[in-house]
Amino acid sequence: MRVKFSYYLIAIAFLVFGMAFWLANLYTDWLWFSSLKYESVFTTILFSELGLRLASGLIFFIFLLVNLLLTRKFLLQKIENFRVNRKLPFDENVVVIQQNAEQWLEKINKRTVGVLFLLASVVLAFMTSGAYSGDWITLQKFLNSVEFGTTDPLFNKDIGFYVFNLPFYNFLLSFVTWTTVVTALAVAAVYFVAEAMENNGRFELLKSNRSRFHISALAAVYFVFKAIDYYLTQYSVLFSGGGVVYGAGFTDINVRLLALKVLAVLALLAAVVILINIFLRRFNLVLYSIVGIIVVSIILNGVVPYAVEKFIVEPNQYSREEPFIEDNIEFTRKAYGLDKIETAKFPAGELLEAQDIQESRETIDNIRLWDWKPLQQTYAQLQEMRLYYDFSDIDIDRYTIDGEYRQVMLAPRELNQDQLPTQAQTWVNQTLTYTHGYGVAMSPVNEVSSEGLPKFFIKDIPPKGPESIPLEHPEIYFGEKTNNYVIVNTDTKEFDYPKGDKNVYTTYKEDSGIELGSIVRRLLFAYVLSDTKLLFTGDINPDSQVLMYRNIRERVPKLAPFLSFDNDPYIVASEGKLYWMWDAYTTTNMYPYSEPFQGETNYLRNSVKVIVDAYTGDVNFYIANQEDPLIKSYSSIFPDMFKQLEEMPEDLKNHIRYPIDLFNVQAQMYTNYHMLNPQVFYNKEDRWEMPTEVFEGNEQSMEPYYTIIKMPDSDKAEFVQILPFTPTNKKNMIAWMAGRSDGENYGRLLLYEFPKQELVYGAMQIEARIDQDTTISQQLSLWDQRGSSVIRGNLLVIPVKDSIIYVEPLYLKSEQSSMPELRRVIVAHGDEIVMEPTLEQCLQRIFGEDTGVPTPPADGEPEDEPEIPDNVTIDSLVKRASQIYDEAQEQLKNGDWAAYGESQQQLKEILEQLSQQNI
């Protein structure tokens, strides 16, 4: 008795512990959602998931338990007969029952069997409901379905039926089929054991009328559901991937649809035969029905389609498949928004003159000379300041600086706690002290110092920058490197930023976290976070707050798990603060006839812009595409979640850009789906490819890139994303695509096609010309021989008026340094290709002196000769140089690269002054 009681205690303890952990996590999630003012989102998700789990679990439980209870009387009768007849032991060739088995059988009664059946039903129902509760979004989308306004060409149903309704019908069918199969197996197991007792250990199934009737009824139910499955599977031919194009083809429509209808009828007939057989008692009829369906299914779904495809379709494939190719082209273009692309002709053969360069200064002045990979290394050396700061990414954006529209590259200076010295990685430091990063580094895309380094618009700590980009709150509590929770407003001051050999400390000034004032809260979070130090630290006070899910890649998807997200969230400086801007997508794989991208989604819209405050962690979702049916459905499910784009602050709206991933997907799909003629498409006569380029010595696919240019149909420069195309198996350029980002033009895609009768150099053709230029190749070889590695940057194709110029930067990186320097720029236009220290010198060599900007100094020549005051002596200059050198060495030891760079510049100026003194 004591042993049983111990088992009960252990079981209860496990149950209580599991429930406590679940409730604790649930409550902390509620507090977290509440801190972000998304309580309604939390309750909608919770009640949807719990409601679906409760409903599915209850249905499964009732169905299974009722069927098991129907076997109880039969089982007890067989057990009683077994006890009375004393058939112990069983036949030794089958099973030998131990002596205590008879005592065990004596304890089995109606109540015991009922309890066992109840427990089995509860456990299986709990497991099943857990497996199906994750489909809560399928249920909600069904309840909030929206029409697309487009019907499929086969069944004439609105696309919304396939996106919202059909997944739910399949979900229901899967659930009831699973419930029926599990129940049938459980019931069969009971009858199996019961009849074995009656037959002295010989296992015989369906010997009794009762077992035949019961299992046959469940089998009939299964075949009814199988008939429904065949019926719903008809719609799946619209997503067939076995033909010449994705979607229903000739064989699908003329063979597979008929086969599915026949199989549906046969499944219903099998259900009827099984029920009739209950009275006829001819088990062979059931067997023949099941085997017949399997054989017919193999013939109709395998043999016949193969024969039709081989002997009817393939000999005349295009004529048979032409209408379905047209459907595939039409629906794929709609699904990816390719039908909205505006096309125009681009001459490209024109040669530019100096006046054209003058009139295109906004384009020329924003040509990106810095690639993000080498620039990231340079930023790390010049602006990380301390070991624990990290520039994890370089973002590209545009700002109006001193009245000029400038393209810039910027990076957030995040705090990476993993890079703290090992002895400093204490709980206090990681949880209470080192809580946030600080500021950004920003540089123009085209400006280079005489040392080959970027010129900064914003630099150092605290940030120094132009008045047009103030940063009163440069702290970054939420970012891409903030992977752990922190506690703020404690008795321990937070490290803010380094200042010389000292540190500046601060206190969090918002209430966006979760308060930890009470001992109950501390107990709760210590339990959930598995951190007992929360209970014993004396630094937490009534105003302390815990900041959780600080990594935006975890924070935002936790709020909106039904959205997909771009791979590149980017930092924005606006109104004195830092924000993360992140593009979110609505997707589905249920758009008829639409070709899936990389085998996954076949519908894509950038319907949401997400803004995350880097200081407070506040998250806002703005609808960027009002026409998208999926976002309409999500807005109906979560009415308090989304805001209109017009509600976004105007300054933040100026930094919206065409998303990288969307543009890339559309560009790749367009390589095939620009062909509108079905025969051209079938033959792949005009297929395009993504171009390749040489980067760091290796050939790679060219990535889309942002730039500021004046579009052919516009009278002012704008921020666009560009990518050229090449024909298949050829290297020349055939067209270029631009995604627009500014103002009313946001979201527009334009494609400019080059004349097919004229040669327009592609990226790899320009790369080959660079390799073949003797002057350039000799210089590159010379640098390599001197111990420096040459990094060939991204080749940019820049449209200027009705022509194209090509720009490729060259970086040098010594073996001893990890800091690339921009040392040369290569420019190609027409038949000319030149390499000079600066872009302006390249342009002046090609177009002459009058390009609109004064000639820059020769390489190595100082830009301005320093003037020496009369009272400065040689001794004072030498003394000052020695002092600056000592300071520079100390700065180098401390890793203060910005100050070290300034000291080096001061030394250079002093040396120039000494040179003028003839020293």
Side-chain angles (χ1 to χ4, degrees):
M1 191 68 179
R2 290 180 180 176
V3 174
K4 286 185 178 180
F5 184 70
S6 299
Y7 287 151
Y8 290 146
L9 281 179
I10 292 172
I12 292 171
F14 272 110
L15 182 63
V16 170
F17 180 81
M19 285 297 295
F21 187 75
W22 180 75
L23 289 172
N25 276 283
L26 186 67
Y27 181 59
T28 53
D29 276 352
W30 161 257
L31 292 174
W32 183 76
F33 274 84
S34 298
S35 69
L36 290 170
K37 299 178 176 60
Y38 284 111
E39 299 95 327
S40 63
V41 175
F42 176 84
T43 54
T44 298
I45 294 175
L46 176 65
F47 291 146
S48 298
E49 193 169 354
L50 286 181
L52 185 58
R53 182 161 198 170
L54 180 62
S56 59
L58 190 60
I59 293 171
F60 184 95
F61 169 77
I62 292 174
F63 189 79
L64 177 60
L65 182 61
V66 167
N67 278 274
L68 287 175
L69 290 177
L70 290 174
T71 68
R72 183 170 60 174
K73 183 177 179 180
F74 182 82
L75 177 63
L76 290 173
Q77 182 182 358
K78 299 302 178 184
I79 292 175
E80 181 62 25
N81 292 339
F82 181 80
R83 281 203 300 257
V84 171
N85 294 328
R86 300 291 183 182
K87 293 184 179 179
L88 271 177
F90 284 174
D91 183 70
E92 61 182 3
N93 294 324
V94 183
V95 178
V96 178
I97 299 179
Q98 299 298 326
Q99 201 64 33
N100 60 0
E102 186 174 358
Q103 298 176 359
W104 180 79
L105 289 173
E106 292 289 343
K107 298 176 183 179
I108 296 180
N109 53 38
K110 182 177 181 180
R111 181 174 177 275
T112 306
V113 172
V115 170
L116 288 174
F117 285 169
L118 179 67
L119 289 175
S121 299
V122 167
V123 171
L124 290 173
F126 181 80
M127 294 170 62
T128 298
S129 65
Y132 282 94
S133 62
D135 288 299
W136 63 269
I137 193 64
T138 302
L139 169 63
Q140 283 289 2
K141 285 162 68 176
F142 170 74
L143 297 175
N144 296 271
S145 60
V146 178
E147 289 191 351
F148 275 65
T150 302
T151 58
D152 76 274
L154 183 56
F155 299 104
N156 201 32
K157 288 185 175 293
D158 187 88
I159 304 300
F161 168 80
Y162 302 97
V163 175
F164 300 111
N165 296 5
L166 188 58
F168 179 70
Y169 297 153
N170 287 328
F171 162 77
L172 279 182
L173 182 62
S174 170
F175 171 72
V176 296
T177 302
W178 168 257
T179 301
T180 303
V181 170
V182 172
T183 300
L185 292 174
V187 166
V190 174
Y191 286 122
F192 192 72
V193 172
E195 293 185 358
M197 291 183 178
E198 188 176 40
N199 294 289
N200 200 31
R202 292 191 301 275
F203 296 109
E204 296 181 13
L205 187 58
L206 301 180
K207 181 180 180 182
S208 67
N209 292 337
R210 188 182 187 89
S211 62
R212 286 199 192 102
F213 180 86
H214 196 170
I215 294 177
S216 295
L218 290 172
V221 171
Y222 170 80
F223 277 102
V224 170
F225 291 148
K226 190 62 181 176
I228 297 173
D229 179 45
Y230 284 130
Y231 175 78
L232 291 179
T233 305
Q234 292 180 97
Y235 298 113
S236 69
V237 299
L238 293 168
F239 310 96
S240 172
V244 65
V245 292
Y246 187 82
F250 180 89
T251 304
D252 295 310
I253 292 174
N254 293 282
V255 179
R256 288 199 172 93
L257 274 182
L258 178 61
L260 290 169
K261 291 175 182 177
V262 171
L263 289 171
V265 173
L266 289 178
L268 287 175
L269 288 176
V272 173
V273 169
I274 290 171
L275 291 176
I276 293 174
N277 186 65
I278 293 173
F279 305 100
L280 295 180
R281 301 180 183 180
R282 295 180 182 176
F283 184 70
N284 288 343
L285 286 177
V286 178
L287 185 61
Y288 294 154
S289 299
I290 296 173
V291 172
I293 289 178
I294 294 173
V295 172
V296 172
S297 176
I298 292 172
I299 293 173
L300 294 182
N301 277 330
V303 177
V304 176
Y306 175 80
V308 170
E309 190 73 25
K310 192 73 174 175
F311 301 109
I312 297 177
V313 176
E314 288 186 5
N316 306 282
Q317 192 173 54
Y318 175 70
S319 62
R320 300 288 188 187
E321 301 285 7
E322 179 183 3
F324 314 116
I325 294 174
E326 291 177 346
D327 291 333
N328 173 264
I329 294 172
E330 177 188 354
F331 282 82
T332 299
R333 286 171 62 86
K334 287 181 178 178
Y336 293 97
L338 306 183
D339 58 327
K340 307 288 187 182
I341 294 177
E342 305 167 42
T343 60
K345 299 297 181 182
F346 193 85
E350 301 290 331
L351 290 178
L352 298 173
E353 298 179 354
Q355 184 177 351
D356 297 316
I357 300 298
Q358 285 183 20
E359 294 172 354
S360 305
R361 288 312 310 180
E362 287 178 295
T363 298
I364 301 301
D365 291 342
N366 285 286
I367 292 176
R368 176 169 61 82
L369 300 180
W370 285 101
D371 295 335
W372 72 268
K373 288 183 181 179
L375 185 63
Q376 185 176 14
Q377 299 175 47
T378 303
Y379 268 29
Q381 295 295 323
L382 297 179
Q383 284 294 307
E384 281 186 355
M385 307 299 186
R386 293 290 188 269
L387 293 174
Y388 41 77
Y389 285 131
D390 193 1
F391 290 114
S392 59
D393 191 19
I394 301 291
D395 295 318
I396 301 176
D397 203 350
R398 70 285 197 198
Y399 290 79
T400 300
I401 300 174
D402 297 330
E404 291 186 33
Y405 193 50
R406 302 295 300 273
Q407 185 182 2
V408 302
M409 307 186 83
L410 69 163
R413 188 183 291 106
E414 295 199 61
L415 192 146
N416 187 348
Q417 293 188 351
D418 293 336
Q419 294 178 187
L420 285 169
T422 304
Q423 64 274 17
Q425 292 185 15
T426 64
W427 184 86
V428 171
N429 279 344
Q430 293 183 313
T431 310
L432 309 181
T433 305
Y434 290 92
T435 57
H436 59 275
Y438 203 86
V440 297
M442 178 190 291
S443 59
V445 296
N446 64 326
E447 293 188 18
V448 187
S449 70
S450 57
E451 291 84 12
L453 303 176
K455 292 183 177 180
F456 288 99
F457 281 154
I458 299 179
K459 63 178 181 178
D460 299 343
I461 299 179
K464 302 170 185 174
E467 293 182 0
S468 56
I469 313 178
L471 276 181
E472 288 91 4
H473 294 284
E475 299 88 352
I476 303 175
Y477 282 85
F478 300 86
E480 295 183 86
K481 288 287 186 178
T482 47
N483 296 318
N484 64 314
Y485 74 92
V486 296
I487 303 173
V488 295
N489 291 349
T490 64
D491 293 338
T492 298
K493 292 292 185 182
E494 300 172 48
F495 166 75
D496 200 22
Y497 61 88
K499 188 176 183 180
D501 57 353
K502 297 181 180 180
N503 292 330
V504 177
Y505 293 87
T506 188
T507 301
Y508 192 65
K509 298 176 179 63
E510 294 288 342
D511 57 356
S512 57
I514 303 171
E515 292 184 358
L516 286 176
S518 67
I519 187 63
V520 175
R521 288 274 181 94
R522 291 174 66 174
L523 278 168
L524 181 68
F525 280 95
Y527 179 62
V528 170
L529 299 172
S530 301
D531 190 348
T532 55
K533 294 182 178 65
L534 282 172
L535 297 174
F536 303 110
T537 180
D539 293 312
I540 296 178
N541 59 55
D543 296 323
S544 297
Q545 306 171 51
V546 59
L547 305 182
M548 301 169 60
Y549 306 115
R550 295 192 304 132
N551 191 313
I552 62 171
R553 293 182 181 271
E554 181 183 16
R555 188 178 190 83
V556 179
K558 186 173 179 65
L559 287 171
F562 45 86
L563 295 175
S564 301
F565 297 91
D566 197 270
N567 284 318
D568 185 31
Y570 56 101
I571 198 78
V572 174
S574 175
E575 304 293 342
K577 297 183 69 176
L578 294 175
Y579 297 88
W580 293 97
M581 189 170 282
W582 202 4
D583 289 290
Y585 305 104
T586 53
T587 64
T588 181
N589 60 355
M590 295 298 292
Y591 201 97
Y593 273 109
S594 174
E595 182 76 29
F597 179 74
Q598 296 182 347
E600 298 177 1
T601 182
N602 68 353
Y603 172 90
L604 181 66
R605 290 292 185 273
N606 173 222
S607 294
V608 180
K609 302 289 184 180
V610 185
I611 303 294
V612 183
D613 190 316
Y615 187 83
T616 66
D618 290 340
V619 182
N620 287 289
F621 299 86
Y622 296 94
I623 297 177
N625 186 343
Q626 298 284 353
E627 304 302 317
D628 175 31
L630 276 168
I631 199 60
K632 290 180 181 178
S633 176
Y634 292 141
S635 298
S636 180
I637 298 169
F638 305 101
D640 299 326
M641 185 173 199
F642 298 98
K643 299 178 180 179
Q644 300 304 313
L645 192 61
E646 292 73 22
E647 299 178 59
M648 183 185 290
E650 199 62 34
D651 190 57
L652 282 175
K653 208 183 297 182
N654 292 333
H655 295 279
I656 289 175
R657 68 186 192 186
Y658 203 98
I660 293 175
D661 288 351
L662 175 63
F663 186 86
N664 194 44
V665 170
Q666 289 176 315
Q668 291 192 49
M669 296 303 296
Y670 201 73
T671 57
N672 280 322
Y673 287 93
H674 68 278
M675 295 180 283
L676 302 181
N677 183 295
Q679 187 158 16
V680 174
F681 184 93
Y682 172 76
N683 293 322
K684 299 293 186 287
E685 297 175 21
D686 191 27
R687 190 180 185 278
W688 297 349
E689 288 182 347
M690 311 287 275
T692 57
E693 62 174 343
V694 174
F695 183 79
E696 294 187 349
N698 300 311
E699 185 175 346
Q700 65 175 29
S701 294
M702 180 181 285
E703 297 177 352
Y705 51 91
Y706 291 103
T707 188
I708 291 179
I709 64 172
K710 186 181 291 185
M711 299 289 286
D713 65 341
S714 178
D715 57 357
K716 66 176 183 178
E718 57 185 290
F719 188 67
V720 298
Q721 191 173 183
I722 284 180
L723 184 69
F725 294 102
T726 61
T728 300
N729 299 326
K730 294 184 179 179
K731 299 300 183 182
N732 62 292
M733 194 156 52
I734 192 72
W736 61 280
M737 181 184 286
R740 306 174 81 165
S741 300
D742 289 351
E744 295 179 355
N745 288 324
Y746 169 76
R748 291 175 60 191
L749 272 180
L750 283 83
L751 182 94
Y752 292 94
E753 294 188 73
F754 300 128
K756 294 186 178 181
Q757 67 275 14
E758 294 185 20
L759 172 65
V760 179
Y761 290 116
M764 284 306 297
Q765 290 175 321
I766 296 297
E767 299 283 16
R769 288 178 59 192
I770 292 173
D771 293 334
Q772 293 164 6
D773 187 284
T774 55
T775 303
I776 295 176
S777 59
Q778 287 174 2
Q779 182 64 65
L780 298 183
S781 300
L782 182 61
W783 279 324
D784 283 331
Q785 292 169 7
R786 291 180 176 178
S788 295
S789 59
V790 179
I791 302 173
R792 289 172 63 165
N794 295 130
L795 178 67
L796 303 183
V797 179
I798 306 296
V800 178
K801 290 195 170 183
D802 290 337
S803 190
I804 295 288
I805 63 173
Y806 306 84
V807 179
E808 181 173 283
L810 293 181
Y811 310 93
L812 291 185
K813 185 168 70 172
S814 67
E815 294 178 354
Q816 295 78 24
S817 171
S818 59
M819 185 167 63
E821 300 174 357
L822 200 162
R823 284 303 182 183
R824 290 292 185 273
V825 179
I826 299 173
V827 175
H829 176 67
D831 294 328
E832 294 193 67
I833 185 165
V834 300
M835 181 177 74
E836 292 293 338
T838 68
L839 174 62
E840 290 303 330
Q841 287 174 299
C842 290
L843 296 176
Q844 288 170 5
R845 273 191 59 185
I846 294 175
F847 301 106
E849 296 296 321
D850 193 12
T851 56
V853 171
T855 304
D859 188 34
E861 182 182 330
E863 297 185 11
D864 295 299
E865 256 187 39
E867 296 182 2
I868 305 174
D870 295 335
N871 59 345
V872 174
T873 64
I874 294 176
D875 290 340
S876 66
L877 288 173
V878 172
K879 184 177 180 181
R880 176 61 180 153
S882 176
Q883 180 184 352
I884 292 175
Y885 176 80
D886 292 338
E887 292 175 357
Q889 293 303 306
E890 187 65 28
Q891 291 158 354
L892 187 61
K893 290 179 183 178
N894 295 332
D896 193 346
W897 295 102
Y900 179 75
E902 291 177 0
S903 296
Q904 294 298 306
Q905 184 61 35
Q906 292 177 32
L907 277 174
K908 180 181 177 183
E909 293 173 359
I910 291 175
L911 291 173
E912 289 169 349
Q913 294 178 34
L914 288 170
S915 176
Q916 292 184 38
Q917 295 274 358
N918 296 322
I919 297 299

